[in-house]
Short mmCIF file of all heavy atoms in Angstrom, two decimals:
data_model
loop_
_atom_site.label_atom_id
_atom_site.label_comp_id
_atom_site.label_asym_id
_atom_site.label_seq_id
_atom_site.Cartn_x
_atom_site.Cartn_y
_atom_site.Cartn_z
N GLU A 1 109.00 83.88 167.23
CA GLU A 1 109.17 84.21 165.82
C GLU A 1 110.63 84.21 165.36
O GLU A 1 111.01 84.95 164.47
CB GLU A 1 108.53 85.57 165.52
CG GLU A 1 107.04 85.61 165.83
CD GLU A 1 106.43 86.96 165.55
OE1 GLU A 1 106.73 87.54 164.48
OE2 GLU A 1 105.64 87.42 166.38
N SER A 2 111.44 83.34 165.97
CA SER A 2 112.86 83.29 165.61
C SER A 2 113.09 82.55 164.30
O SER A 2 114.15 82.69 163.69
CB SER A 2 113.66 82.60 166.71
OG SER A 2 113.35 81.21 166.74
N GLY A 3 112.13 81.73 163.89
CA GLY A 3 112.32 80.91 162.71
C GLY A 3 113.00 79.59 163.03
O GLY A 3 113.25 78.79 162.14
N HIS A 4 113.32 79.38 164.29
CA HIS A 4 113.96 78.15 164.75
C HIS A 4 113.13 77.56 165.88
O HIS A 4 113.12 78.11 166.98
CB HIS A 4 115.39 78.44 165.24
CG HIS A 4 116.24 79.12 164.23
ND1 HIS A 4 116.82 78.44 163.18
CD2 HIS A 4 116.59 80.42 164.07
CE1 HIS A 4 117.49 79.31 162.43
NE2 HIS A 4 117.37 80.51 162.96
N PRO A 5 112.42 76.46 165.62
CA PRO A 5 111.50 75.91 166.63
C PRO A 5 112.16 75.64 167.98
O PRO A 5 111.53 75.82 169.02
CB PRO A 5 111.00 74.61 166.01
CG PRO A 5 111.32 74.69 164.57
CD PRO A 5 112.44 75.66 164.41
N ASN A 6 113.42 75.24 168.00
CA ASN A 6 114.08 74.96 169.27
C ASN A 6 114.45 76.23 170.04
O ASN A 6 114.70 76.18 171.24
CB ASN A 6 115.34 74.12 169.06
CG ASN A 6 115.02 72.74 168.53
OD1 ASN A 6 113.92 72.24 168.72
ND2 ASN A 6 115.98 72.14 167.87
N ALA A 7 114.49 77.36 169.35
CA ALA A 7 114.84 78.62 169.99
C ALA A 7 113.62 79.33 170.56
O ALA A 7 113.74 80.13 171.48
CB ALA A 7 115.56 79.54 169.01
N ASP A 8 112.43 79.06 170.02
CA ASP A 8 111.21 79.69 170.50
C ASP A 8 110.71 79.00 171.76
O ASP A 8 110.81 77.78 171.90
CB ASP A 8 110.12 79.64 169.43
CG ASP A 8 110.37 80.59 168.28
OD1 ASP A 8 111.29 81.41 168.37
OD2 ASP A 8 109.63 80.50 167.28
N GLY A 9 110.20 79.80 172.68
CA GLY A 9 109.65 79.25 173.91
C GLY A 9 110.04 80.10 175.10
O GLY A 9 110.63 81.16 174.97
N THR A 10 109.69 79.59 176.27
CA THR A 10 110.02 80.27 177.52
C THR A 10 111.02 79.40 178.27
O THR A 10 110.79 78.20 178.46
CB THR A 10 108.76 80.50 178.35
OG1 THR A 10 107.88 81.35 177.61
CG2 THR A 10 109.07 81.17 179.67
N PHE A 11 112.12 80.01 178.67
CA PHE A 11 113.22 79.29 179.30
C PHE A 11 113.60 79.96 180.61
O PHE A 11 113.64 81.18 180.69
CB PHE A 11 114.44 79.26 178.36
CG PHE A 11 114.12 78.73 177.00
CD1 PHE A 11 113.91 79.60 175.94
CD2 PHE A 11 113.99 77.37 176.78
CE1 PHE A 11 113.60 79.11 174.68
CE2 PHE A 11 113.67 76.88 175.53
CZ PHE A 11 113.48 77.74 174.48
N GLU A 12 113.87 79.15 181.59
CA GLU A 12 114.32 79.63 182.89
C GLU A 12 115.84 79.52 182.95
O GLU A 12 116.42 78.54 182.48
CB GLU A 12 113.70 78.81 184.02
CG GLU A 12 112.18 78.82 184.03
CD GLU A 12 111.58 80.21 184.25
OE1 GLU A 12 112.18 81.02 185.00
OE2 GLU A 12 110.51 80.49 183.68
N LEU A 13 116.47 80.53 183.54
CA LEU A 13 117.92 80.56 183.66
C LEU A 13 118.28 81.09 185.04
O LEU A 13 117.87 82.18 185.42
CB LEU A 13 118.53 81.47 182.59
CG LEU A 13 120.04 81.67 182.62
CD1 LEU A 13 120.77 80.36 182.35
CD2 LEU A 13 120.45 82.72 181.60
N THR A 14 119.03 80.29 185.80
CA THR A 14 119.52 80.71 187.11
C THR A 14 121.04 80.58 187.09
O THR A 14 121.57 79.52 186.78
CB THR A 14 118.92 79.86 188.24
OG1 THR A 14 117.51 80.01 188.22
CG2 THR A 14 119.45 80.29 189.59
N CYS A 15 121.71 81.68 187.40
CA CYS A 15 123.17 81.69 187.44
C CYS A 15 123.61 81.93 188.87
O CYS A 15 123.36 82.99 189.44
CB CYS A 15 123.71 82.80 186.53
SG CYS A 15 123.18 82.66 184.81
N ASP A 16 124.22 80.93 189.44
CA ASP A 16 124.75 81.00 190.80
C ASP A 16 126.07 80.27 190.79
O ASP A 16 126.85 80.46 189.86
CB ASP A 16 123.74 80.38 191.77
CG ASP A 16 123.90 80.89 193.19
OD1 ASP A 16 124.80 81.71 193.45
OD2 ASP A 16 123.12 80.47 194.06
N GLU A 17 126.33 79.40 191.75
CA GLU A 17 127.56 78.63 191.71
C GLU A 17 127.63 77.79 190.43
O GLU A 17 128.69 77.50 189.91
CB GLU A 17 127.70 77.70 192.92
CG GLU A 17 127.96 78.41 194.22
CD GLU A 17 126.67 78.83 194.90
OE1 GLU A 17 125.69 78.05 194.87
OE2 GLU A 17 126.63 79.93 195.46
N ARG A 18 126.47 77.38 189.98
CA ARG A 18 126.38 76.67 188.70
C ARG A 18 125.13 77.13 187.97
O ARG A 18 124.23 77.68 188.57
CB ARG A 18 126.39 75.16 188.91
CG ARG A 18 125.23 74.63 189.69
CD ARG A 18 125.34 73.11 189.79
NE ARG A 18 124.02 72.55 189.69
CZ ARG A 18 123.47 71.83 190.64
NH1 ARG A 18 124.13 71.57 191.74
NH2 ARG A 18 122.26 71.35 190.48
N ALA A 19 125.13 76.91 186.67
CA ALA A 19 124.00 77.32 185.85
C ALA A 19 122.88 76.29 185.98
O ALA A 19 123.13 75.09 185.93
CB ALA A 19 124.43 77.45 184.39
N GLU A 20 121.66 76.77 186.14
CA GLU A 20 120.51 75.88 186.28
C GLU A 20 119.36 76.40 185.42
O GLU A 20 119.37 77.52 184.96
CB GLU A 20 120.08 75.80 187.74
CG GLU A 20 121.14 75.20 188.65
CD GLU A 20 120.70 75.16 190.10
OE1 GLU A 20 119.60 75.65 190.43
OE2 GLU A 20 121.46 74.63 190.92
N GLY A 21 118.37 75.54 185.25
CA GLY A 21 117.17 75.90 184.49
C GLY A 21 117.10 75.12 183.20
O GLY A 21 117.96 74.29 182.90
N ASN A 22 116.07 75.40 182.43
CA ASN A 22 115.87 74.69 181.17
C ASN A 22 116.36 75.48 179.96
O ASN A 22 116.07 75.11 178.82
CB ASN A 22 114.40 74.29 181.00
CG ASN A 22 113.48 75.49 180.81
OD1 ASN A 22 113.83 76.62 181.12
ND2 ASN A 22 112.28 75.22 180.32
N HIS A 23 117.10 76.55 180.19
CA HIS A 23 117.66 77.33 179.08
C HIS A 23 118.61 76.42 178.29
O HIS A 23 119.46 75.76 178.89
CB HIS A 23 118.40 78.55 179.62
CG HIS A 23 118.81 79.52 178.57
ND1 HIS A 23 119.88 79.30 177.73
CD2 HIS A 23 118.30 80.72 178.22
CE1 HIS A 23 120.00 80.32 176.91
NE2 HIS A 23 119.06 81.20 177.19
N PRO A 24 118.48 76.37 176.96
CA PRO A 24 119.29 75.43 176.17
C PRO A 24 120.79 75.69 176.18
O PRO A 24 121.57 74.78 175.90
CB PRO A 24 118.71 75.55 174.76
CG PRO A 24 117.98 76.84 174.74
CD PRO A 24 117.54 77.12 176.13
N ALA A 25 121.21 76.89 176.53
CA ALA A 25 122.65 77.21 176.56
C ALA A 25 123.01 77.81 177.92
O ALA A 25 123.75 78.78 178.00
CB ALA A 25 123.00 78.16 175.43
N ARG A 26 122.49 77.21 178.99
CA ARG A 26 122.60 77.84 180.31
C ARG A 26 124.03 78.11 180.76
O ARG A 26 124.30 79.17 181.32
CB ARG A 26 121.82 77.06 181.36
CG ARG A 26 122.26 75.67 181.61
CD ARG A 26 121.31 74.97 182.60
NE ARG A 26 121.59 73.56 182.61
CZ ARG A 26 121.04 72.67 181.81
NH1 ARG A 26 120.16 73.07 180.91
NH2 ARG A 26 121.35 71.40 181.88
N GLU A 27 124.96 77.19 180.54
CA GLU A 27 126.36 77.41 180.96
C GLU A 27 126.96 78.63 180.24
O GLU A 27 127.53 79.51 180.87
CB GLU A 27 127.22 76.18 180.69
CG GLU A 27 126.85 74.97 181.53
CD GLU A 27 127.23 75.11 182.99
OE1 GLU A 27 128.18 75.87 183.30
OE2 GLU A 27 126.56 74.47 183.83
N ASN A 28 126.83 78.65 178.93
CA ASN A 28 127.37 79.76 178.14
C ASN A 28 126.62 81.07 178.41
O ASN A 28 127.22 82.15 178.39
CB ASN A 28 127.36 79.42 176.66
CG ASN A 28 128.36 78.34 176.32
OD1 ASN A 28 129.36 78.16 177.00
ND2 ASN A 28 128.08 77.57 175.27
N ALA A 29 125.32 80.97 178.64
CA ALA A 29 124.53 82.17 178.93
C ALA A 29 124.98 82.79 180.25
O ALA A 29 125.17 84.02 180.34
CB ALA A 29 123.04 81.83 178.97
N CYS A 30 125.20 81.98 181.27
CA CYS A 30 125.66 82.50 182.55
C CYS A 30 127.07 83.07 182.43
O CYS A 30 127.39 84.11 183.02
CB CYS A 30 125.61 81.41 183.62
SG CYS A 30 123.92 81.02 184.15
N ALA A 31 127.92 82.42 181.63
CA ALA A 31 129.27 82.94 181.41
C ALA A 31 129.21 84.30 180.73
O ALA A 31 129.96 85.23 181.10
CB ALA A 31 130.09 81.96 180.58
N ARG A 32 128.31 84.47 179.78
CA ARG A 32 128.18 85.77 179.09
C ARG A 32 127.68 86.83 180.07
O ARG A 32 128.17 87.97 180.07
CB ARG A 32 127.23 85.64 177.89
CG ARG A 32 127.02 86.94 177.16
CD ARG A 32 128.31 87.44 176.52
NE ARG A 32 128.10 88.70 175.82
CZ ARG A 32 128.96 89.70 175.84
NH1 ARG A 32 130.12 89.57 176.47
NH2 ARG A 32 128.71 90.81 175.21
N LEU A 33 126.71 86.49 180.90
CA LEU A 33 126.22 87.44 181.89
C LEU A 33 127.32 87.84 182.87
O LEU A 33 127.41 89.00 183.26
CB LEU A 33 125.00 86.87 182.62
CG LEU A 33 123.73 86.77 181.77
CD1 LEU A 33 122.67 85.96 182.50
CD2 LEU A 33 123.21 88.15 181.38
N ASP A 34 128.17 86.89 183.24
CA ASP A 34 129.32 87.20 184.10
C ASP A 34 130.26 88.19 183.41
O ASP A 34 130.74 89.14 184.03
CB ASP A 34 130.09 85.93 184.47
CG ASP A 34 129.42 85.11 185.56
OD1 ASP A 34 128.51 85.63 186.24
OD2 ASP A 34 129.82 83.93 185.73
#
């Protein structure tokens, strides 16, 4: 219900030596979590 079709859905995010998964902003998301 975000109002943005590309933002809605289920996304996987793995943060390790590098960001992985189908999250649309995985690099920035992992940096924020760090």
